[in-house]
């Protein structure tokens, strides 16, 4: 195993590119939904991503596939695949009823809701620093999306 080193000159442009690509997803998908139904759009997106990931993993030589022989791992992979597909379908169905800006705001709440679920359902313990970080993230989302709160609830 090789040591991990950070290189901000590579990481920063990749992070900015990722942010830009995530930001354009709702408007692009809203435009596509005028021509394609949500199920087809979600199916195409998931199959395309799956094929790209499969090609990537097949090209890498040092990946062990032994874990996929276990029934419990296969069930977990199937549950995850179904869950992310349902998430995509519901996102595209929701895009038909709200603006892309409202969808983007709600989309950003996903990680916050996972965080809250881990605390409330799984009884995860948090340090003061983690609670402070969560508060900063929630505050940042409220500040960033305050103009779109009416789009979401009105």
């Amino acid at each position: 195993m090789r040591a991990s080193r950070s290189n901000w000159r590579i990481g920063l442009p990749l992070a900015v590119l990722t942010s830009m690509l995530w930001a354009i997803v709702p408007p692009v998908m809203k435009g596509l939904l005028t021509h394609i139904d949500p199920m087809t759009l979600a199916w195409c997106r998931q199959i395309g991503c799956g094929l790209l990931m499969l090609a990537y993993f097949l090209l890498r030589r040092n990946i062990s596939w032994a874990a996929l022989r276990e029934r419990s791992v296969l069930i977990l992979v199937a549950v995850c695949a179904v869950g992310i597909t349902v998430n995509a379908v519901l996102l595209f169905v929701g895009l038909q009823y709200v603006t892309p800006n409202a969808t983007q705001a709600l989309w950003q709440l996903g990680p916050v809701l996972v965080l809250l679920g881990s605390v409330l359902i799984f009884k995860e313990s948090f340090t003061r620093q983690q609670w402070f970080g969560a508060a900063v993230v929630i505050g940042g989302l409220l500040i960033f999306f305050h103009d779109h709160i009416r789009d979401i609830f009105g």
Side-chain angles (χ1 to χ4, degrees), residues 2 5-6 10 13 17 26 40 52 54 66 77 81 92-93 95 97-98 100 116 118 121 128 133 141 147 154:
R2 63 185 171 156
R5 293 185 309 159
S6 64
I10 295 171
L17 176 65
T40 304
L52 287 172
L54 180 64
V77 168
F92 299 144
V93 168
L95 261 173
Y97 300 104
V98 296
L116 290 176
S118 71
I121 297 169
R128 286 185 192 187
L141 288 172
D147 291 339

Side-chain angles (χ1 to χ4, degrees), residues 68-133:
L68 290 178
R69 293 187 187 119
E70 294 180 34
R71 180 176 166 83
S72 61
V73 173
L74 284 175
I75 290 171
L76 184 60
V77 168
V79 167
C80 290
V82 168
I84 201 159
T85 302
V86 168
N87 177 29
V89 169
L90 293 177
L91 170 75
F92 299 144
V93 168
L95 261 173
Q96 292 178 318
Y97 300 104
V98 296
T99 65
N101 290 335
T103 303
Q104 186 71 19
L106 289 171
W107 203 346
Q108 300 307 319
L109 289 178
V112 174
L113 294 175
V114 168
L115 172 84
L116 290 176
S118 71
V119 171
L120 298 175
I121 297 169
F122 298 113
K123 308 296 185 221
E124 290 280 338
S125 60
F126 266 36
T127 65
R128 286 185 192 187
Q129 290 174 322
Q130 289 170 318
W131 279 115
F132 178 74

